[in-house]
Amino acid sequence: MNVRAALTTAGSLVVIGGLVALAAPAVVSVIAAAQSVGGNAALLLDAPQAAAATDPSTMPGLPDGYVDLGEGVAIPEGGPGDCVSTTWINITKEDGGPWNVRLLGADLVDMGPREFAIGEVGYSADGRIAAYTVAAGDSPWAIGDRFCFANGNAIPLMNGHRGYEAIQPGEVLVLDPVAVPGFEYHYPYEE
């Protein structure tokens, strides 16, 4: 091997080693979050458990402190902050069918304005929480906490945002698709 090839190989190894070192903390935090059984971590059940998910009393292996949301999903009891129950945004697609968005778990509850979630709440004709108008400085995580969503970061996706698109002041976000007449979900990555 000549000197030029040796230097190129050594340089490549240094770059690859640096990239691995930079990615390691992120990978470790993702693994730790997936292994977490507290907070807002969801427990995705295997096929036999998912089949029994309609009757939590027969669901084998559901850890203490978890609540069955149905469709093979269980989450920790309680919710973010002071929430006593939790709602989960479920976005699915049947084979060849349209995308479907629905809420699993408890009905939405407004825990009140807080830092990064001070916008106005919109209600349906029957008084259910339906939408939220974004205020300057609001964040999806804080909005999710305000309304006891286990996965509040999915609120922008539910409203057609791609992962890199920020919510904007004045934007009206649907919180409960059933409470908003005519709501149609469009998966933002399928265009």
Side-chain angles (χ1 to χ4, degrees):
M1 180 182 294
N2 66 30
V3 174
R4 180 181 227 169
L7 288 175
T8 302
T9 301
S12 297
L13 291 174
V14 169
V15 169
I16 291 170
L19 291 173
V20 168
L22 285 173
V27 171
V28 168
S29 67
V30 168
I31 291 170
Q35 292 173 342
S36 169
V37 293
N40 292 332
L43 176 66
L44 300 177
L45 306 173
D46 62 22
Q49 291 172 319
T54 55
D55 182 3
S57 64
T58 63
M59 185 183 306
L62 185 64
D64 288 341
Y66 274 76
V67 175
D68 170 39
L69 294 181
E71 299 188 25
V73 177
I75 61 172
E77 290 176 337
D82 296 329
C83 295
V84 295
S85 61
T86 307
T87 304
W88 186 268
I89 299 169
N90 185 323
I91 301 174
T92 58
K93 182 175 184 174
E94 302 296 323
D95 291 334
W99 285 93
N100 186 17
V101 177
R102 62 185 166 274
L103 302 182
L104 301 176
D107 290 334
L108 291 178
V109 60
D110 184 1
M111 299 298 289
R114 61 199 57 226
E115 188 175 19
F116 307 117
I118 60 171
E120 296 295 320
V121 180
Y123 296 90
S124 66
D126 63 358
R128 293 172 46 186
I129 295 170
Y132 177 85
T133 303
V134 177
D138 280 358
S139 83
W141 289 99
I143 296 167
D145 285 350
R146 177 174 174 176
F147 296 98
C148 299
F149 279 107
N151 59 341
N153 60 322
I155 293 171
L157 179 63
M158 179 170 61
N159 284 274
H161 283 263
R162 291 185 169 140
Y164 57 84
E165 296 173 334
I167 58 175
Q168 300 296 320
E171 181 178 358
V172 178
L173 299 173
V174 171
L175 297 180
D176 184 350
V178 174
V180 178
F183 175 80
E184 289 185 29
Y185 178 68
H186 301 284
Y187 186 65
Y189 296 99
E190 259 183 11
E191 292 180 355

